[in-house]
Amino acid sequence: MKRTHYCGELTRAHVGERVTLEGWVNRRRDLGGLIFVDLRDRAGLVQVVVPPESPAFAEADRVRGEYVVRVSGTVRERPADQVNPRLATGEVEVLAEAVTVLAEAKTPPFAVDAGWRGEADPTDRVNEDLRLKYRYLDLRRKGMQDKLRLRHRVIKAIWDFLDREEFIQVETPFLTRSTPEGARDFLVPSRLEPGRFYALPQSPQLFKQMLMIAGVDRYFQIARCFRDEDLRADRQPDFTQLDLEMSFVDVEDVLELNERLVAHVFREALGVEVPTPFPRLAYREAMNRYGSDKPEIGFGLELVDATEAFRASEFRAFRSVVEAGGVVKALVCPRELSRKEVAALEEEAKRHGAKGLAWAKVTPEGPAGGIAKFLPADLAQTLGAEPGATLLFVADCWETAVKALGAVRLELGRRLGLIPEEGFRFLWVVDFPLLEWDEEAGRWTYMHHPFTSPVEADLEYLETDPGRVRAKAYDLVLNGTEVGGGSIRIHRVDVQRRMFQALGIGEAEAREKFGFFLEALEYGAPPHGGIAWGLDRMLALMAGAASIREVIPFPKNQSGRDPLTDAPAVVAPEQLAELGIRVVEE
């Protein structure tokens, strides 16, 4: 007899019904000849009782944890003193009439059963590479099953909303040509054209723009993307993003639609109401106040400009920075910090480019310690610092000063427990610079990508003062993490050519790399723009996970390897020869 119900669905409403269940043995207990089997499937767990006189007893006696079994029996109420309030099925049990072992199982290398019993799951403390090597077992855990369901609900909510908004889902190719997107491409050799390569897409950027040129008008895709870059907790070589594009729109249209989409997704997937509209911060303001273009706004400790206080200071280290056009940024820590704590914060500042971190304590008698003797008498009051606080300073060029002190702010927020653990804090960061100076390369480069539209009023400065040009770009930030980014695109071929020139891409190089796209623009492109959400990042935050690896079914580890399949792997010499590739050992 085939399965009639899922284990986790059984309630008192099913009492008296004969059911057939199929799943895994979560735990087996033998109590004086009476066998209890906790049977588990994706919907949950139910207790199965097998008395000695049952024809199922002999088979039940041999089952062990993680065996796959079929159970037929009758649902009955549990005795009042045996009700388990931690389980959705805790008021009922199944009196077994037949038990069939469908597959035996070895003892797993780590436990997968605790979460299903409503208990703390110790697997989160298991070595991650071991979990990834046996990912099919790891995914049996309730916490991981819950994350898979969350992923499904989020993607379904996206589909439902965008379908109602008359978007069309379109797949774009995985095998394309290499174009600059800000990271290294994964290259795929062509067997039919030796010496030539495809590239896996870092994003569907140019294809979705060409869909707008094609008149699709509203496109979306749950897109797989590939970037060969160093890994962190929020990065993977292959990842998933929500990609969408709209024609005949400007910034406000894209932001308004995405706010409604976010609110819909959180309502449908989590039952959480997200207030709209989202706050907005211009890039410059975000950097000046928080030292980050993806600020965590859930706590204070905002950066304060103290440049003028040191313009005529006797503290030469700061005065020389100010005279050279730099700035002094200050941060008020609400409590006194030890020398050891200041040293740790200074290391954080140095990791982000600062030469050091100056400090002074605020006492009832005035500043003390550190650079206190160089501080104006009223500076602590001006900064709003009360006695018992610690003042922290970074002096450098504007970009380094704000970024370094912004990193110190976040570290202080973690150390002082100021960052809220609950809630979803969305905001938009807007008005980014179009270009930024690459000191190492000695030229201007794009801040987002080379197809971002400049603000029309700034276009006249593209050749004469590139750093002054603002972009029609916007990032979606959630709890201090960038979860989305987009822009209005360049839709005029003459402006796109000027953009390439500003980036040092000559006419010949532009034709070679982007000739197909430039030609497409010549056939009439509507004003258009869009956004991409980092779906894995969004899901990790929604699930309260520390890493996106927790919400990806089969992720790579921190080294970019797949412990499950042992990829990347060596391939046979015959395969390499067929592709015209020779591996050079260094």
Side-chain angles (χ1 to χ4, degrees):
M1 185 174 180
K2 293 295 184 181
R3 177 170 61 189
T4 61
H5 297 77
Y6 282 104
C7 298
E9 294 176 344
L10 298 181
T11 68
R12 293 180 66 179
H14 296 95
V15 170
E17 289 187 27
R18 193 171 188 281
V19 299
T20 297
L21 310 173
E22 294 175 328
W24 286 260
V25 174
N26 201 64
R27 188 168 62 168
R28 174 192 175 278
R29 292 160 289 150
D30 190 336
L31 301 180
L34 190 65
I35 296 174
F36 291 89
V37 174
D38 291 338
L39 189 64
R40 177 191 83 231
D41 58 25
R42 71 176 196 177
L45 178 150
V46 70
Q47 178 172 279
V48 176
V49 182
V50 191
E53 66 274 13
S54 170
F57 189 85
E59 190 76 344
D61 191 43
R62 75 181 189 91
V63 303
R64 295 295 182 267
E66 300 308 308
Y67 275 33
V68 184
V69 301
R70 178 185 298 126
V71 172
S72 294
T74 302
V75 181
R76 71 182 187 184
E77 287 191 60
R78 286 198 192 191
D81 61 345
Q82 294 181 24
V83 169
N84 186 346
R86 291 181 303 183
L87 296 180
T89 62
E91 294 183 311
V92 298
E93 60 189 14
V94 175
L95 181 63
E97 300 164 10
V99 173
T100 304
V101 173
L102 302 176
E104 297 183 358
K106 296 195 298 184
T107 300
F110 48 80
V112 300
D113 60 337
W116 296 101
R117 301 197 304 267
E119 300 171 1
D121 189 345
T123 311
D124 291 331
R125 298 189 293 273
V126 175
N127 175 272
E128 186 182 56
D129 270 7
L130 183 64
R131 289 174 54 201
L132 295 183
K133 178 176 174 62
Y134 296 96
R135 189 62 160 184
Y136 46 86
L137 296 177
D138 195 39
L139 290 173
R140 288 185 188 177
R141 297 165 48 222
K142 185 178 187 304
M144 295 303 296
Q145 292 270 319
D146 289 345
K147 293 182 180 76
L148 289 179
R149 285 174 174 268
L150 174 63
R151 191 177 187 101
H152 167 79
R153 291 197 304 272
V154 166
I155 292 174
K156 181 180 184 301
I158 290 170
W159 264 87
D160 290 346
F161 179 91
L162 293 178
D163 181 61
R164 287 199 301 269
E165 294 286 330
E166 298 185 345
F167 280 75
I168 299 174
Q169 191 274 341
V170 182
E171 298 92 357
T172 53
F174 276 2
L175 296 177
T176 181
R177 66 170 295 140
S178 180
T179 56
E181 290 273 0
R184 298 182 191 91
D185 287 323
F186 281 103
L187 299 178
V188 181
S190 169
R191 178 182 60 85
L192 298 177
E193 297 189 50
R196 294 180 177 269
F197 296 82
Y198 299 104
L200 299 180
Q202 295 186 35
S203 82
Q205 183 62 46
L206 293 181
F207 289 104
K208 67 180 179 180
Q209 289 192 243
M210 289 187 288
L211 286 170
M212 297 303 101
I213 297 171
V216 171
D217 193 75
R218 289 190 163 202
Y219 139 94
F220 85 101
Q221 181 182 187
I222 305 298
R224 298 290 291 163
C225 303
F226 308 86
R227 294 182 184 178
D228 186 7
E229 57 187 352
D230 296 334
L231 303 184
R232 297 196 297 270
D234 60 349
R235 298 283 176 91
Q236 281 279 293
D238 52 337
F239 59 96
T240 305
Q241 69 183 36
L242 162 64
D243 201 57
L244 66 84
E245 199 80 2
M246 308 160 66
S247 290
F248 302 105
V249 294
D250 212 329
V251 172
E252 290 297 329
D253 303 294
V254 180
L255 269 53
E256 187 272 339
L257 178 127
N258 275 269
E259 288 177 354
R260 289 192 290 114
L261 174 56
V262 167
H264 174 80
V265 167
F266 273 69
R267 184 182 305 117
E268 294 297 313
L270 290 182
V272 171
E273 291 296 329
V274 175
T276 58
F278 301 158
R280 298 186 191 183
L281 280 176
Y283 168 81
R284 189 87 182 181
E285 182 183 1
M287 297 299 292
N288 272 322
R289 290 173 58 187
Y290 300 101
S292 173
D293 59 0
K294 45 183 181 298
E296 169 56 85
I297 59 173
F299 69 105
L301 299 190
E302 294 187 17
L303 280 55
V304 183
D305 191 89
T307 305
E308 292 307 313
F310 291 93
R311 189 171 294 280
S313 171
E314 296 179 7
F315 190 35
R316 177 166 293 277
F318 278 18
R319 191 180 71 196
S320 61
V321 168
V322 176
E323 289 172 348
V327 300
V328 180
K329 302 296 287 189
L331 181 65
V332 179
C333 174
R335 71 165 175 83
E336 184 176 328
L337 297 172
S338 68
R339 292 290 186 92
K340 183 178 179 180
E341 288 175 315
V342 170
L345 293 173
E346 183 171 28
E347 288 304 309
E348 186 69 19
K350 287 180 176 179
R351 276 195 292 271
H352 289 80
K355 299 177 182 66
L357 181 69
W359 63 278
K361 294 184 292 185
V362 180
T363 72
E365 293 75 32
I371 64 168
K373 66 180 181 179
F374 298 111
L375 300 183
D378 62 346
L379 182 59
Q381 184 178 357
T382 301
L383 296 177
E386 300 288 338
T390 304
L391 304 180
L392 302 170
F393 302 91
V394 171
D396 214 307
C397 66
W398 175 80
E399 185 175 16
T400 299
V402 294
K403 286 184 177 179
L405 203 55
V408 170
R409 172 184 177 266
L410 279 178
E411 182 60 25
L412 265 178
R414 286 188 283 268
R415 287 171 176 260
L416 302 181
L418 299 176
I419 303 175
E421 294 183 1
E422 298 182 353
F424 299 101
R425 300 171 295 282
F426 281 97
L427 78 147
W428 293 106
V429 177
V430 297
D431 292 337
F432 283 87
L434 181 69
L435 304 172
E436 59 184 342
W437 183 253
D438 186 332
E439 197 69 44
E440 189 174 326
R443 60 179 176 81
W444 292 98
T445 187
Y446 46 84
M447 184 165 274
H448 280 77
H449 57 61
F451 314 107
T452 298
S453 175
V455 172
E456 286 85 352
D458 296 350
L459 189 54
E460 61 180 295
Y461 305 112
L462 188 56
E463 288 80 16
T464 59
D465 191 1
R468 184 174 175 178
V469 182
R470 292 166 296 165
K472 285 189 172 184
Y474 31 83
D475 281 356
L476 181 60
V477 178
L478 171 57
N479 295 2
T481 298
E482 179 199 334
V483 293
S487 67
I488 300 303
R489 324 301 186 185
I490 297 170
H491 72 281
R492 286 170 36 195
V493 69
D494 61 319
V495 176
Q496 187 63 71
R497 290 183 188 278
R498 288 175 64 184
M499 179 66 164
F500 286 153
Q501 290 167 3
L503 294 169
I505 300 174
E507 184 65 30
E509 184 181 358
R511 274 199 309 272
E512 179 190 350
K513 292 182 176 179
F514 305 106
F516 67 97
F517 179 63
L518 292 171
E519 184 177 21
L521 290 177
E522 291 175 337
Y523 282 92
H528 60 282
I531 196 169
W533 293 7
L535 203 54
D536 304 309
R537 290 186 189 179
M538 182 85 84
L539 281 160
L541 290 166
M542 295 176 78
S547 162
I548 63 172
R549 294 187 293 277
E550 289 296 306
V551 296
I552 297 174
F554 297 98
K556 310 298 183 291
N557 66 11
Q558 288 183 309
S559 302
R561 293 196 60 82
D562 179 0
L564 174 63
T565 63
D566 198 27
V570 174
V571 299
E574 293 80 10
Q575 284 182 278
L576 295 177
E578 193 173 32
L579 294 168
I581 293 175
R582 181 167 58 89
V583 176
V584 179
E585 300 276 352
E586 290 189 359

